[in-house]
């Protein structure tokens, strides 16, 4: 299956009444595990990676891994840049073959966020690549970046922001947090207000730690893409740790990494079904 754009995947998900999971990858084993889980669930999903994780390889290498891996699966997927902080992040991702990007100007004042996001949109749309922008600050830890900001998205700013930036997706702040160290307090009434005024689909960052039934309840309110990273990373790291605890002299790296792939696949499978209200 070819790697498609995020907007194409969202159209598929909407036709079926699904929420689209967006799982953060870092390397080959996580990529394959995520695709294994999606395949088993029989639903599409997004593979995404942030610049902080790209430093383990590079944009071209992770793009090659995803595109080659996708050929062996039936479920469609997308390769998305998560939290692009600079226009250079965006440029490198697009040139490497990413099929969707996020430009993160949420920490900027409103007008600066619009100008910054518009630049990314103008560049990406020349290549047919959709853009996710963010309005409202999200608290918590995203890789090695810690944010104490917690500013919910203002419904009065949404329509203007989307129209002036031309973004295809809008990440919103409704009490969600990055990572597992803070407790999310989801404001569903606010989401309803945002859905009423937003001209484009909405995105939730920090899906890990939010009850599945709460996420599922967002689907009728233009929520389309749910970002999930920490749950998968925890499963991967825990698996490696257990292997070491079981045998301090373990040196069969292939066996350990096969186990990490299975652990990631299990989380991706269960999470994809759970956020869509499908019980085990």
């Amino acid at each position: 299956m070819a790697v498609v754009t995020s907007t194409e995947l969202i159209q598929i998900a909407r036709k079926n009444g699904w929420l689209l999971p967006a799982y953060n990858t870092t390397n080959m084993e996580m990529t394959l595990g995520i695709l294994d889980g999606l395949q088993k669930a029989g639903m599409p999903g997004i593979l995404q990676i942030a610049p902080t994780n790209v430093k383990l390889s590079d944009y071209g290498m992770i793009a090659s891994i995803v595109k080659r891996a996708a050929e062996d699966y039936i479920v469609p997927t997308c390769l998305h840049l998560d939290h692009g902080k600079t226009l250079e992040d965006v440029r490198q991702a697009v040139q490497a073959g990413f099929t969707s990007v996020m430009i993160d100007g949420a920490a900027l004042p409103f007008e600066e966020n619009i100008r910054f996001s518009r630049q990314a949109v103008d560049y990406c749309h020349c290549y047919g690549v959709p853009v996710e922008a963010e309005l409202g600050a999200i608290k918590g830890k995203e890789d090695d970046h810690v944010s104490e900001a917690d500013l919910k998205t203002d419904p009065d700013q949404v329509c203007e922001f989307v129209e002036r930036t031309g973004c295809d997706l809008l990440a919103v702040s409704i009490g969600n947090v990055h990572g597992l160290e803070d407790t999310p307090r989801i404001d569903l009434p606010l989401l309803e207000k945002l859905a009423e005024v937003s001209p484009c689909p909405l995105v939730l960052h920090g899906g890990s730690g939010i009850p599945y039934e709460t996420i599922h309840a967002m689907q009728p309110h233009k929520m389309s893409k749910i970002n999930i990273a920490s749950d998968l990373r925890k499963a991967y790291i825990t698996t490696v740790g257990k292997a070491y605890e079981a045998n301090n002299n373990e040196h069969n790296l292939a066996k350990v990494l096969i186990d990490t792939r299975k652990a990631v696949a299990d989380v991706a499978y269960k999470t994809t079904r759970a956020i869509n209200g499908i019980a085990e």
Side-chain angles (χ1 to χ4, degrees), residues 219-241:
Q219 196 273 340
H221 307 297
K222 282 191 178 177
M223 187 57 70
S224 298
K225 173 176 175 277
I226 308 295
N227 284 17
I228 299 164
S230 299
D231 287 344
L232 275 73
R233 292 168 180 168
K234 183 178 179 181
Y236 188 107
I237 293 170
T238 299
T239 301
V240 174

Side-chain angles (χ1 to χ4, degrees), residues 64-81:
S64 296
I65 290 171
V66 171
K67 289 181 179 180
R68 170 60 188 88
E71 294 175 3
D72 296 333
Y73 294 83
I74 295 174
V75 290
T77 191
C78 163
L79 177 56
H80 176 78
L81 174 67

Side-chain angles (χ1 to χ4, degrees), residues 13-33:
R14 280 181 164 179
K15 288 179 181 178
N16 290 279
W18 296 331
L19 282 168
L20 194 66
Y23 295 119
N24 283 68
T25 188
T26 301
N27 56 16
M28 185 177 71
E29 293 77 31
M30 287 198 75
T31 298
L32 295 174

Side-chain angles (χ1 to χ4, degrees), residues 23 29-41 73 231-232 235-236 239 257-273 280:
Y23 295 119
E29 293 77 31
M30 287 198 75
T31 298
L32 295 174
I34 291 166
L35 289 172
D36 288 343
L38 292 172
Q39 181 95 323
K40 185 178 178 181
Y73 294 83
D231 287 344
L232 275 73
Y236 188 107
T239 301
L257 294 182
I258 287 171
D259 288 343
T260 65
R261 175 177 173 176
K262 291 177 181 177
V264 169
D266 187 54
V267 173
Y269 166 72
K270 291 179 179 178
T271 302
T272 300
R273 288 170 58 86
E280 287 298 311

Side-chain angles (χ1 to χ4, degrees), residues 158-181:
V158 167
C159 192
E160 179 184 0
F161 182 85
V162 173
E163 290 180 353
R164 289 178 61 189
T165 62
C167 66
D168 304 280
L169 304 169
L170 181 66
V172 295
S173 176
I174 55 171
N176 44 311
V177 297
H178 283 132
L180 297 171
E181 296 175 7

Side-chain angles (χ1 to χ4, degrees), residues 108-265:
L108 300 173
F110 184 68
E111 287 294 332
E112 290 183 34
N113 190 359
I114 288 178
R115 285 194 295 272
F116 182 54
S117 299
R118 183 76 225 188
Q119 287 179 287
V121 169
D122 287 343
Y123 177 81
C124 291
H125 282 186
C126 288
Y127 294 89
V129 174
V131 177
E132 172 189 331
E134 185 171 351
L135 182 62
I138 299 173
K139 186 179 179 181
K141 184 176 183 180
E142 179 73 9
D143 295 321
D144 54 4
H145 175 73
V146 179
S147 174
E148 295 299 329
D150 187 11
L151 181 64
K152 290 183 180 180
T153 305
D154 183 350
D156 293 336
Q157 295 180 328
V158 167
C159 192
E160 179 184 0
F161 182 85
V162 173
E163 290 180 353
R164 289 178 61 189
T165 62
C167 66
D168 304 280
L169 304 169
L170 181 66
V172 295
S173 176
I174 55 171
N176 44 311
V177 297
H178 283 132
L180 297 171
E181 296 175 7
D182 292 293
T183 302
R185 295 178 177 83
I186 301 302
D187 189 341
L188 285 176
L190 173 58
L191 176 60
E192 294 179 24
K193 293 178 182 178
L194 297 173
E196 289 174 359
V197 297
S198 178
C200 68
L202 303 178
V203 175
L204 183 82
H205 284 234
S208 296
I210 300 175
Y212 294 137
E213 58 270 21
T214 301
I215 294 177
H216 182 57
M218 300 179 188
Q219 196 273 340
H221 307 297
K222 282 191 178 177
M223 187 57 70
S224 298
K225 173 176 175 277
I226 308 295
N227 284 17
I228 299 164
S230 299
D231 287 344
L232 275 73
R233 292 168 180 168
K234 183 178 179 181
Y236 188 107
I237 293 170
T238 299
T239 301
V240 174
K242 287 181 178 179
Y244 177 76
E245 289 178 354
N247 179 8
N248 291 173
N249 291 316
E250 178 64 76
H251 58 276
N252 189 338
L253 184 59
K255 177 183 180 299
V256 173
L257 294 182
I258 287 171
D259 288 343
T260 65
R261 175 177 173 176
K262 291 177 181 177
V264 169

